[in-house]
Amino acid sequence: MRLFHISFLFIFGCLAGCRPDHKASIFARKAQYGEEIRLQNNGAYQWGEKALEATARDTERFTPRPTVTSRFLALTFTAMYDAWSRFDDKASPVYLQHVDRRPASDRHEKNKEVAVSYAAYGALCEYFFLDTLLFREHMIKLGLDPDRRSEDPSTPEGIGYLAAKAVIEARKKDGSNQYGDEPSSDDQPYTDYTGYQPVNTADKNTHPDRWQPKYFADRKGGKFAPGCLTPHWHRVKPIALGSADRFRSPPPPSMGSAQLKQEVREVVELQATLTPDQKALVEFMRDGPASVQQAGHWLKFAMNVSVRDHHSLDQDILLFFLTEVAAMDAFIACWDTKMHYDFARPQALIHHDFKGQDIYGWAGPEQGWRTLKGEEWRPYSPDEFLCPAFPAYVSGHSTVSGACSEVLRLFTGEDHFGEKIKWVPGHLTEPDHVGDTVVIEMPTFSATAEMAGISRVLGGYHIQADNVEGLVLGRKVGNEVYTWYLKKMTGIEPE
């Protein structure tokens, strides 16, 4: 329990007062061009809201696929950034080539709004194609023609359209299998083409230290065992990282080691004593049922910063672009480690270590806590989404949260966040046995990342090694992405 107590105190105690020693970001400032506009008229913020709505819809249609939606969001905000860069005096685009900067006389708010709107519209219609009507309606609300396809680089409409087109073309063969056309895939978008097969089945766990599929309820009275989600994702080309394996994590604790035994036991002990505050944290960070996944969750946090700090269009373009690139690249790096080690989830490890033993745990929705056999233990999660369907080590929540919290800290120049969320414990997991409303406080960006990570241990999805090493990996990714971003903003191309 020692590691958990250290993490818990670290999250809710000392970090509340932490501040960096200097203002790291040179871009957290007022808009360079024109007067600062009212928040509700900020096109970047409004398109962020539409992107989150589409992400939630995507989750409901396809079930959670956090790797895929992180790519959608990152590429959308990259297109918006690229369009915006043509109205800045230094910033260099990511994919938009052979389009000159606009003269100073054209760098006013209206032109930037139009350019980023056409960029957002083009990218969102490509990636969230089932929600084209949602985006068309927003374009019309903005007074823009959604059917205009100008390629005139001297107009904001043309720059926005070309920016979206450039991103789409550049990322067609990026390893994601967006069109289901990779050799050895099944012609379905985003499906595996690496030939990955788990060494265990849902019914037989012959290698307890390796990932095992688990049965989910299908909402029709039956069950199914989903396959591994996007096992090819380590082959997706990052935006800012040099390679997926640049910061690959060290090996997880070995089977039979004292560390692994202790961390598996810790998960059992933590679940046996979940408090209302801890249940709320598990559910909030799990972010269901209309989940926007980790990339969307941190986009929400970035939008909260926008409201808190009264951001301009310029600031929001940069912050959302930076945050979502960090999330996408963090997922790629995380999947490199996950698929390299193919490590087991706590549920399988507990079933192995405590088989035939009596332990105290959560018996499932509306069944509460009672004495169970070790092989009956389960995470604090609904039957319809029992546990993430991919290897455990390292935690995706921890990795993405580590990366995004780091770029938010660096961009704003301080670690302070100051968000508070009201939550009814149990309403997503055991809706007939909810607790009283609690308040989840997120004092700093770093603490919020720590809270996201520990929530996955409390929920029974990860052991501490998954969490701790995930945070380390994510923070490395975040710093790398921020360095790349600074070069983009000063017009210095990375070597």
Side-chain angles (χ1 to χ4, degrees), residues 362-478:
W362 187 61
E366 315 316 330
Q367 297 186 56
W369 270 256
R370 61 178 173 81
T371 300
L372 310 163
K373 290 298 182 184
E375 57 270 32
E376 296 176 325
W377 188 94
R378 56 174 291 158
Y380 183 69
S381 199
D383 292 335
E384 291 78 12
F385 190 73
L386 184 63
C387 191
F390 39 83
Y393 182 81
V394 290
S395 165
H397 274 68
S398 300
T399 306
V400 173
S401 296
C404 293
S405 65
E406 193 68 3
V407 297
L408 281 166
R409 181 184 69 83
L410 292 168
F411 183 93
T412 61
E414 63 176 10
D415 202 19
H416 174 66
F417 187 25
E419 281 297 306
K420 295 181 180 181
I421 302 292
K422 291 184 179 180
W423 198 268
V424 179
H427 82 275
L428 295 181
T429 311
E430 40 184 349
D432 291 338
H433 292 83
V434 299
D436 296 331
T437 300
V438 302
V439 177
I440 301 171
E441 297 189 22
M442 294 172 278
T444 65
F445 300 124
S446 298
T448 304
E450 297 276 349
M451 292 165 71
I454 198 64
S455 78
R456 307 303 282 173
V457 181
L458 292 167
Y461 313 112
H462 287 285
I463 61 172
Q464 280 285 10
D466 303 340
N467 168 36
V468 172
E469 291 297 336
L471 288 168
V472 170
L473 173 60
R475 284 165 177 153
K476 289 178 180 178
V477 171

Side-chain angles (χ1 to χ4, degrees), residues 148-189:
R148 187 167 184 180
R149 299 290 187 270
S150 173
E151 295 192 20
D152 183 352
S154 67
T155 67
E157 296 90 344
I159 289 172
Y161 178 81
L162 289 169
K165 182 179 179 181
V167 169
I168 292 166
E169 288 296 320
R171 301 298 304 199
K172 276 186 174 179
K173 299 293 290 185
D174 67 354
S176 66
N177 199 21
Q178 178 182 347
Y179 304 101
D181 56 358
E182 289 284 352
S184 302
S185 68
D186 64 0
D187 298 325
Q188 295 297 314

Side-chain angles (χ1 to χ4, degrees), residues 105-428:
S105 59
D106 282 357
R107 298 175 190 170
H108 52 75
E109 207 74 16
K110 181 179 179 180
N111 280 349
K112 288 187 282 187
E113 289 275 358
V114 171
V116 300
S117 289
Y118 273 93
Y121 178 69
L124 287 168
C125 286
E126 169 74 8
Y127 300 119
F128 295 101
F129 57 87
L130 293 176
D131 287 310
T132 299
L133 181 60
L134 172 69
F135 310 133
R136 286 182 61 85
E137 290 174 347
H138 188 61
M139 287 287 282
I140 293 169
K141 181 180 178 181
L142 294 174
L144 301 174
D145 181 1
D147 295 317
R148 187 167 184 180
R149 299 290 187 270
S150 173
E151 295 192 20
D152 183 352
S154 67
T155 67
E157 296 90 344
I159 289 172
Y161 178 81
L162 289 169
K165 182 179 179 181
V167 169
I168 292 166
E169 288 296 320
R171 301 298 304 199
K172 276 186 174 179
K173 299 293 290 185
D174 67 354
S176 66
N177 199 21
Q178 178 182 347
Y179 304 101
D181 56 358
E182 289 284 352
S184 302
S185 68
D186 64 0
D187 298 325
Q188 295 297 314
Y190 304 107
T191 53
D192 181 41
Y193 54 87
T194 65
Y196 171 80
Q197 292 292 332
V199 298
N200 299 306
T201 68
D203 297 307
K204 191 172 183 179
N205 192 9
T206 57
H207 295 77
D209 60 337
R210 302 281 293 279
W211 180 65
Q212 180 190 25
K214 291 293 182 181
Y215 284 113
F216 290 19
D218 63 5
R219 300 184 182 181
K220 299 176 183 178
K223 62 181 182 179
F224 72 105
C228 183
L229 176 75
T230 58
H232 62 287
W233 211 253
H234 60 291
R235 294 193 181 181
V236 177
K237 183 180 180 181
I239 295 178
L241 290 181
S243 65
D245 63 356
R246 176 169 172 75
F247 300 116
R248 180 180 291 168
S249 302
S254 59
M255 200 68 184
S257 67
Q259 179 185 353
L260 184 58
K261 287 181 179 295
Q262 185 276 329
E263 293 191 9
V264 170
R265 179 175 292 277
E266 179 185 47
V267 173
V268 174
E269 292 173 349
L270 290 175
Q271 196 208 72
T273 57
L274 279 182
T275 67
D277 286 350
Q278 291 170 338
K279 290 180 184 178
L281 185 62
V282 170
E283 291 187 318
F284 173 71
M285 292 299 180
R286 194 170 68 216
D287 195 24
S291 175
V292 293
Q293 311 302 313
Q294 288 78 62
H297 222 164
W298 281 92
L299 175 57
K300 283 184 178 180
F301 292 156
M303 293 171 73
N304 291 346
V305 172
S306 170
V307 174
R308 183 195 74 183
D309 295 348
H310 309 290
H311 274 190
S312 64
L313 170 71
D314 292 356
Q315 291 169 301
D316 276 352
I317 287 288
L318 297 177
L319 180 56
F320 302 164
F321 162 64
L322 174 61
T323 302
E324 295 311 293
V325 169
M328 175 177 161
D329 281 8
F331 267 120
I332 294 169
C334 179
W335 250 246
D336 169 75
T337 292
K338 280 184 182 292
M339 302 316 300
H340 184 74
Y341 296 112
D342 194 37
F343 194 62
R345 292 274 173 181
Q347 185 172 5
L349 294 168
I350 291 167
H351 288 184
H352 176 268
D353 285 6
F354 291 90
K355 184 177 182 179
Q357 299 181 39
D358 289 338
I359 59 175
Y360 193 72
W362 187 61
E366 315 316 330
Q367 297 186 56
W369 270 256
R370 61 178 173 81
T371 300
L372 310 163
K373 290 298 182 184
E375 57 270 32
E376 296 176 325
W377 188 94
R378 56 174 291 158
Y380 183 69
S381 199
D383 292 335
E384 291 78 12
F385 190 73
L386 184 63
C387 191
F390 39 83
Y393 182 81
V394 290
S395 165
H397 274 68
S398 300
T399 306
V400 173
S401 296
C404 293
S405 65
E406 193 68 3
V407 297
L408 281 166
R409 181 184 69 83
L410 292 168
F411 183 93
T412 61
E414 63 176 10
D415 202 19
H416 174 66
F417 187 25
E419 281 297 306
K420 295 181 180 181
I421 302 292
K422 291 184 179 180
W423 198 268
V424 179
H427 82 275
L428 295 181

Side-chain angles (χ1 to χ4, degrees), residues 487 492-495:
K487 290 179 179 179
I492 301 173
E493 292 297 331
E495 296 180 359

Side-chain angles (χ1 to χ4, degrees), residues 78-90:
T78 297
M80 294 167 68
Y81 164 80
D82 274 9
W84 174 90
S85 76
R86 302 301 80 198
F87 297 88
D88 187 75
D89 59 353
K90 291 184 178 180

